Short mmCIF file of all heavy atoms in Angstrom, two decimals:
data_model
loop_
_atom_site.label_atom_id
_atom_site.label_comp_id
_atom_site.label_asym_id
_atom_site.label_seq_id
_atom_site.Cartn_x
_atom_site.Cartn_y
_atom_site.Cartn_z
N ALA A 155 4.14 1.51 23.35
CA ALA A 155 4.07 2.97 23.28
C ALA A 155 4.94 3.50 22.14
O ALA A 155 6.02 2.96 21.87
CB ALA A 155 4.53 3.59 24.60
N PRO A 156 4.50 4.54 21.44
CA PRO A 156 5.28 5.08 20.32
C PRO A 156 6.65 5.61 20.73
O PRO A 156 7.59 5.54 19.95
CB PRO A 156 4.39 6.20 19.76
CG PRO A 156 3.46 6.55 20.88
CD PRO A 156 3.24 5.27 21.62
N PHE A 157 6.77 6.13 21.96
CA PHE A 157 8.05 6.66 22.39
C PHE A 157 9.11 5.56 22.48
O PHE A 157 10.29 5.78 22.21
CB PHE A 157 7.93 7.37 23.74
CG PHE A 157 7.11 8.63 23.68
CD1 PHE A 157 6.45 9.11 24.79
CD2 PHE A 157 7.00 9.34 22.49
CE1 PHE A 157 5.69 10.28 24.73
CE2 PHE A 157 6.25 10.50 22.41
CZ PHE A 157 5.59 10.98 23.53
N SER A 158 8.68 4.35 22.85
CA SER A 158 9.65 3.25 22.93
C SER A 158 10.12 2.86 21.54
O SER A 158 11.26 2.44 21.36
CB SER A 158 9.03 2.05 23.65
OG SER A 158 7.89 1.55 22.95
N LEU A 159 9.26 3.00 20.55
CA LEU A 159 9.67 2.71 19.18
C LEU A 159 10.71 3.71 18.71
O LEU A 159 11.64 3.36 17.97
CB LEU A 159 8.45 2.75 18.25
CG LEU A 159 8.71 2.49 16.76
CD1 LEU A 159 9.33 1.12 16.56
CD2 LEU A 159 7.42 2.63 15.97
N ALA A 160 10.58 4.96 19.17
CA ALA A 160 11.54 6.00 18.77
C ALA A 160 12.96 5.63 19.17
O ALA A 160 13.92 5.96 18.48
CB ALA A 160 11.14 7.34 19.39
N VAL A 161 13.11 4.91 20.29
CA VAL A 161 14.44 4.48 20.72
C VAL A 161 15.09 3.62 19.66
O VAL A 161 16.29 3.76 19.36
CB VAL A 161 14.34 3.71 22.05
CG1 VAL A 161 15.67 3.04 22.38
CG2 VAL A 161 13.94 4.64 23.18
N HIS A 162 14.33 2.74 19.04
CA HIS A 162 14.89 1.84 18.02
C HIS A 162 15.09 2.55 16.68
O HIS A 162 16.00 2.23 15.93
CB HIS A 162 13.99 0.62 17.86
CG HIS A 162 13.79 -0.14 19.14
ND1 HIS A 162 14.84 -0.75 19.80
CD2 HIS A 162 12.69 -0.36 19.89
CE1 HIS A 162 14.38 -1.33 20.90
NE2 HIS A 162 13.10 -1.11 20.98
N VAL A 163 14.24 3.52 16.41
CA VAL A 163 14.39 4.29 15.18
C VAL A 163 15.66 5.14 15.22
O VAL A 163 16.36 5.30 14.22
CB VAL A 163 13.15 5.19 14.96
CG1 VAL A 163 13.40 6.21 13.85
CG2 VAL A 163 11.93 4.33 14.61
N TYR A 164 15.99 5.67 16.41
CA TYR A 164 17.15 6.54 16.56
C TYR A 164 18.34 5.83 17.20
O TYR A 164 19.23 6.48 17.76
CB TYR A 164 16.78 7.76 17.42
CG TYR A 164 15.87 8.75 16.74
CD1 TYR A 164 14.49 8.67 16.91
CD2 TYR A 164 16.38 9.75 15.91
CE1 TYR A 164 13.64 9.58 16.28
CE2 TYR A 164 15.54 10.65 15.30
CZ TYR A 164 14.17 10.57 15.48
OH TYR A 164 13.34 11.46 14.85
N ASP A 167 21.91 7.11 16.30
CA ASP A 167 22.21 8.42 16.89
C ASP A 167 22.46 8.29 18.39
O ASP A 167 23.35 8.96 18.94
CB ASP A 167 21.06 9.39 16.64
CG ASP A 167 20.87 9.68 15.16
OD1 ASP A 167 21.88 9.88 14.47
OD2 ASP A 167 19.72 9.70 14.71
N ILE A 168 21.68 7.44 19.04
CA ILE A 168 21.85 7.25 20.49
C ILE A 168 23.21 6.64 20.79
O ILE A 168 23.92 7.09 21.70
CB ILE A 168 20.72 6.34 21.04
CG1 ILE A 168 19.38 7.06 20.97
CG2 ILE A 168 21.03 5.93 22.48
CD1 ILE A 168 18.19 6.18 21.31
N VAL A 186 20.82 12.67 28.72
CA VAL A 186 19.40 12.60 28.38
C VAL A 186 19.23 12.65 26.86
O VAL A 186 20.06 13.22 26.14
CB VAL A 186 18.60 13.74 29.03
CG1 VAL A 186 18.60 13.59 30.53
CG2 VAL A 186 19.15 15.10 28.62
N LEU A 187 18.15 12.06 26.40
CA LEU A 187 17.89 11.97 24.96
C LEU A 187 17.00 13.13 24.52
O LEU A 187 15.93 12.95 23.94
CB LEU A 187 17.21 10.63 24.64
CG LEU A 187 17.91 9.38 25.15
CD1 LEU A 187 17.16 8.14 24.70
CD2 LEU A 187 19.36 9.33 24.67
N ASP A 188 17.47 14.35 24.79
CA ASP A 188 16.64 15.52 24.50
C ASP A 188 16.57 15.85 23.02
O ASP A 188 15.85 16.77 22.62
CB ASP A 188 17.15 16.74 25.28
CG ASP A 188 18.64 16.98 25.08
OD1 ASP A 188 19.25 16.28 24.25
OD2 ASP A 188 19.17 17.87 25.75
N PHE A 189 17.28 15.11 22.19
CA PHE A 189 17.21 15.34 20.75
C PHE A 189 16.14 14.47 20.09
O PHE A 189 15.92 14.57 18.88
CB PHE A 189 18.58 15.06 20.09
CG PHE A 189 19.03 13.63 20.20
CD1 PHE A 189 18.83 12.74 19.16
CD2 PHE A 189 19.66 13.18 21.36
CE1 PHE A 189 19.25 11.43 19.26
CE2 PHE A 189 20.09 11.87 21.47
CZ PHE A 189 19.88 10.99 20.41
N ILE A 190 15.47 13.61 20.89
CA ILE A 190 14.41 12.75 20.36
C ILE A 190 13.07 13.22 20.94
O ILE A 190 12.91 13.28 22.16
CB ILE A 190 14.64 11.28 20.75
CG1 ILE A 190 15.99 10.80 20.22
CG2 ILE A 190 13.51 10.40 20.21
CD1 ILE A 190 16.32 9.37 20.61
N PRO A 191 12.11 13.56 20.08
CA PRO A 191 10.81 14.03 20.57
C PRO A 191 10.17 13.03 21.53
O PRO A 191 10.08 11.84 21.24
CB PRO A 191 9.97 14.16 19.28
CG PRO A 191 10.99 14.36 18.20
CD PRO A 191 12.18 13.55 18.61
N GLY A 192 9.76 13.53 22.71
CA GLY A 192 9.09 12.69 23.68
C GLY A 192 9.99 11.97 24.64
O GLY A 192 9.53 11.35 25.60
N LEU A 193 11.32 12.04 24.43
CA LEU A 193 12.26 11.30 25.28
C LEU A 193 13.23 12.24 26.00
O LEU A 193 14.30 11.80 26.42
CB LEU A 193 13.05 10.29 24.44
CG LEU A 193 12.23 9.20 23.73
CD1 LEU A 193 13.15 8.25 22.98
CD2 LEU A 193 11.39 8.41 24.73
N SER A 194 12.86 13.49 26.17
CA SER A 194 13.78 14.47 26.75
C SER A 194 14.13 14.18 28.20
O SER A 194 15.12 14.69 28.72
CB SER A 194 13.18 15.88 26.63
OG SER A 194 11.93 15.94 27.31
N SER A 195 13.32 13.36 28.89
CA SER A 195 13.61 13.04 30.29
C SER A 195 14.21 11.65 30.47
O SER A 195 14.49 11.23 31.59
CB SER A 195 12.32 13.15 31.13
OG SER A 195 11.35 12.22 30.68
N ILE A 196 14.43 10.95 29.35
CA ILE A 196 14.99 9.61 29.41
C ILE A 196 16.52 9.68 29.39
O ILE A 196 17.11 10.37 28.56
CB ILE A 196 14.49 8.75 28.24
CG1 ILE A 196 12.96 8.65 28.25
CG2 ILE A 196 15.11 7.35 28.29
CD1 ILE A 196 12.40 8.00 29.49
N LEU A 226 12.07 3.22 8.85
CA LEU A 226 12.33 4.55 8.28
C LEU A 226 12.89 4.49 6.88
O LEU A 226 12.80 5.44 6.12
CB LEU A 226 13.32 5.31 9.17
CG LEU A 226 12.79 5.82 10.49
CD1 LEU A 226 13.82 6.70 11.14
CD2 LEU A 226 11.51 6.60 10.29
N PRO A 231 13.92 10.85 8.41
CA PRO A 231 14.50 11.98 9.16
C PRO A 231 14.95 13.10 8.23
O PRO A 231 14.79 14.29 8.55
CB PRO A 231 15.70 11.34 9.88
CG PRO A 231 15.32 9.90 10.01
CD PRO A 231 14.58 9.57 8.75
N ASP A 234 11.90 15.02 7.00
CA ASP A 234 11.34 15.90 8.03
C ASP A 234 12.01 17.27 8.05
O ASP A 234 11.43 18.26 8.51
CB ASP A 234 11.45 15.25 9.40
CG ASP A 234 10.48 14.08 9.58
OD1 ASP A 234 9.50 14.03 8.82
OD2 ASP A 234 10.73 13.23 10.45
#
Side-chain angles (χ1 to χ4, degrees):
F157 292 154
S158 61
L159 179 60
V161 170
H162 302 297
V163 168
Y164 289 94
D167 296 317
I168 292 172
V186 294
L187 308 182
D188 52 6
F189 64 97
I190 302 177
L193 299 182
S194 59
S195 62
I196 301 298
L226 287 188
D234 288 340

